[in-house]
Each structure stands twice: as C-alpha cells, then as structure tokens.
C-alpha cells in the first residue's frame, strides 16, 4: 500500500467566483502543506486552473477534472493534456461518472487515459456501478467497465496511476449513506483481482486505489483504516475548507 494518503478534492462546478476559489485553494494549501503523511490534490474547474498555475508543492498538487484525448486538432471547448501540464497540473480525473452521464464512453476514457499518460500526467480514472442488485450483477458491470476503460494501458503505465472507485448511488449524499468501509474493502479486493486477471498479481498492486462517494469528516478515518484504499476522492466536503482540512488531518494521523 502507498505510504502517503492521497486526498483529492474534486470541486466539480464550484465555487462560483474567482475570489472564493482563491480562498478555498489558499486555506487548503496552507493546511495541506503542513502534513507529511498526506498528498493533497485540488482539482478546480478549468477557468480557475491558471490562477493556481505552478502553485503546487511536493505536498499539495494541482489536478484537472477532465481532459481531451489529443494535443492538436479542431476541438472547440476542449482542453489538451499539454495545456494542463503547462499550467502545472500533475493529476487529471478521467471518466468521472458525471462526465459519463453526459455521454463519455469507456472508449473515450481509454483514449483520454493514454493521452494523459503520454504527457507524463497521472490519471485518476473513475469507475463505479450505478446501483447494487441482490444478485451481485454489479460486479460484472464493474469488471467490464474496468476492462474497457483500461483498454490499451500497459503494465508499465501503472507506476503512476490512480483508480477511484465511486459507486454512483453513494455520491452526493451524507456520510451516513456512504458505502461502509467493509464493503469498500470487498470492492477494492475485487478491483485488484480484475487487474490481476488482466495483467498479473504484481501489476495489480501498483495503482493507487481511492474511494469516492459521500466521504466526509466523520467517515474519513474508518474508510482509510478499513476500506483497503489509500485515499479519498472528495466532492462536496472539499468545498468547505475547514471541514476538508479536518479530513486531511485525520488522514495524516493514520
Ligand atoms: P461527493 O463527495 O459529493 O459524494 O462526490 C463524490 C465525487 O463524485 C467525487 O468525485
């Protein structure tokens, strides 16, 4: 398991102003910079990325929420891996369920992953089932999603690679409705098994695994301790600086 915890703030389409973004970034960076057992990553919306260009440190990094799969071409509205690298981003979320809901396919996700890796950026690829059925069909759904999203990814690509497991049914709720650490651990083991079948047992251990879906202050420690994951992908709770900082501190103390 990775020694440092990886705590990723996915701000989604927030906050509504540059002024608020600066405050949120500043407070989080200051606190995150003091923690030696956590790497904090902030993923602001595209218009704010430039505000924080090269503001990353060894403890606090900049990430993007999406990317296009090529550096050149006619692609109105898209942002290339090269541009992200140039503003100092080191991580890129790929295939978030909210992007998949807008039409992003596994094939697009795999193209994006390859483009991100080619640029030397670290992808955070999101996978997760929409719902859990009593027959356990969601395991097959998850397996197929992982296999198709990772099409074309080589063993050596996993050295800097993050997989975020985000069950859709647990996103945007409260900690009480998040997945239990026990179920997260079961799914983490399953994801590693799928990778072991696709590659080999050693490769399966390489990617960093995160959990996302209503991670808040109250469930951070339990998930990190018992969930079989090395960090969290945090949505709404990352928008409140003091709440997110307490999550970072809690991760740092594990
Ligand atoms: P919430 O933490 O708001 O549930 O969002 C999770 C998520 O989608 C992070 O990418």
């Amino acid at each position: 398991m990775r020694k440092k915890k990886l705590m990723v703030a996915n701000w989604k389409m927030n906050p509504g102003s540059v002024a608020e973004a600066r405050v949120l970034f500043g407070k989080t960076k200051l606190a995150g910079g003091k923690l030696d057992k956590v790497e904090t990553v902030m993923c602001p919306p595209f218009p704010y990325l430039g505000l924080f260009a090269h503001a990353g440190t060894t403890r606090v990094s900049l990430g993007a929420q999406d990317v296009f799969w090529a550096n050149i071409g006619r692609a109105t509205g898209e942002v290339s891996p090269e541009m992200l690298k140039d503003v100092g981003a080191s991580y890129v979320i790929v295939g978030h369920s909210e992007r998949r809901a807008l039409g992003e396919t596994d094939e697009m996700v795999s193209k994006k992953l390859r483009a991100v890796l080619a640029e030397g950026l670290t992808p955070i690829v999101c996978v997760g089932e929409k719902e859990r059925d009593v027959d356990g069909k969601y395991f097959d759904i998850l397996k197929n999603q992982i296999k198709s999203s990772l099409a074309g990814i080589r063993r050596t690509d996993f050295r800097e690679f993050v997989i975020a497991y985000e069950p859709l049914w647990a996103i945007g709720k409260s900690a009480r409705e998040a997945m239990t650490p026990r179920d997260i651990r079961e799914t983490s083991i399953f994801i590693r098994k799928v990778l072991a079948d696709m590659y080999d047992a050693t490769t399966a251990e390489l990617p960093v695994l995160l959990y996302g879906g209503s991670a808040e202050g109250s469930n951070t420690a339990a998930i990190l301790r018992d969930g079989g994951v090395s960090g969290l992908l945090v949505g709404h709770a990352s928008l409140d600086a003091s709440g997110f900082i307490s999550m970072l501190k809690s991760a740092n103390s594990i």
Side-chain angles (χ1 to χ4, degrees):
M1 247 318 222
R2 190 177 199 266
K3 285 208 186 76
K4 271 195 175 194
K5 299 285 180 266
L6 185 64
M7 297 289 284
V8 184
N10 176 9
W11 291 1
K12 305 193 179 183
M13 200 172 67
N14 300 288
S17 71
V18 165
E20 289 166 289
R22 282 192 202 280
V23 172
L24 181 58
F25 188 91
K27 286 185 177 170
T28 308
K29 182 181 170 182
L30 187 66
K34 294 183 183 141
L35 307 175
D36 60 353
K37 296 195 194 72
V38 170
E39 180 179 355
T40 303
V41 182
M42 277 180 275
C43 303
F46 286 138
Y48 302 153
L49 272 180
L51 300 173
F52 312 122
H54 303 288
T57 63
T58 51
R59 291 180 179 170
V60 182
S61 312
L62 193 61
Q65 298 176 15
D66 191 18
V67 65
F68 190 57
W69 56 70
N71 279 333
I72 38 176
R74 287 185 283 266
T76 304
E78 296 290 347
V79 174
S80 71
E82 185 178 43
M83 294 171 188
L84 295 180
K85 177 113 182 247
D86 202 47
V87 293
S90 34
Y91 290 86
V92 187
I93 298 173
V94 176
H96 191 281
S97 59
E98 286 151 16
R99 302 242 38 98
R100 291 178 186 265
L102 291 171
E104 187 156 305
T105 61
D106 289 340
E107 196 193 343
M108 289 157 81
V109 171
S110 101
K111 280 161 79 173
K112 288 182 176 191
L113 285 176
R114 281 175 276 155
V116 165
L117 290 161
E119 200 59 45
L121 298 164
T122 303
I124 302 172
V125 58
C126 300
V127 295
E129 76 281 0
K130 282 204 184 78
E131 57 198 6
R132 293 217 145 186
D133 57 297
V134 284
D135 305 324
K137 288 207 186 74
Y138 57 89
F139 277 124
D140 280 336
I141 292 169
L142 192 57
K143 178 164 74 185
N144 292 335
Q145 197 186 39
I146 294 170
K147 284 192 166 168
S148 344
S149 301
L150 298 188
I153 302 303
R154 298 157 306 174
R155 284 178 170 74
T156 47
D157 292 326
F158 286 110
R159 279 191 211 113
E160 290 293 332
F161 202 94
V162 183
I163 299 178
Y165 169 59
E166 296 208 307
L168 272 65
W169 52 268
I171 293 180
K173 298 184 174 161
S174 71
R176 259 183 293 120
E177 291 155 288
M179 202 172 192
T180 63
R182 201 196 138 118
D183 287 346
I184 296 171
R185 190 173 58 226
E186 184 191 49
T187 317
S188 309
I189 294 168
F190 178 75
I191 292 173
R192 299 253 189 233
K193 189 183 169 311
V194 171
L195 295 173
D197 291 345
M198 289 172 71
Y199 301 90
D200 56 70
T202 314
T203 309
E205 295 305 315
L206 292 178
V208 172
L209 277 194
L210 305 182
Y211 166 78
S214 301
E216 293 183 341
S218 60
N219 56 3
T220 295
I223 295 174
L224 294 179
R225 222 180 277 123
D226 303 322
V229 290
S230 304
L232 299 171
L233 180 53
V234 185
H236 66 272
S238 69
L239 298 172
D240 164 40
S242 65
F244 187 58
I245 291 166
S246 66
M247 292 172 79
L248 296 178
K249 287 183 179 162
S250 157
N252 198 58
S253 68
I254 285 167

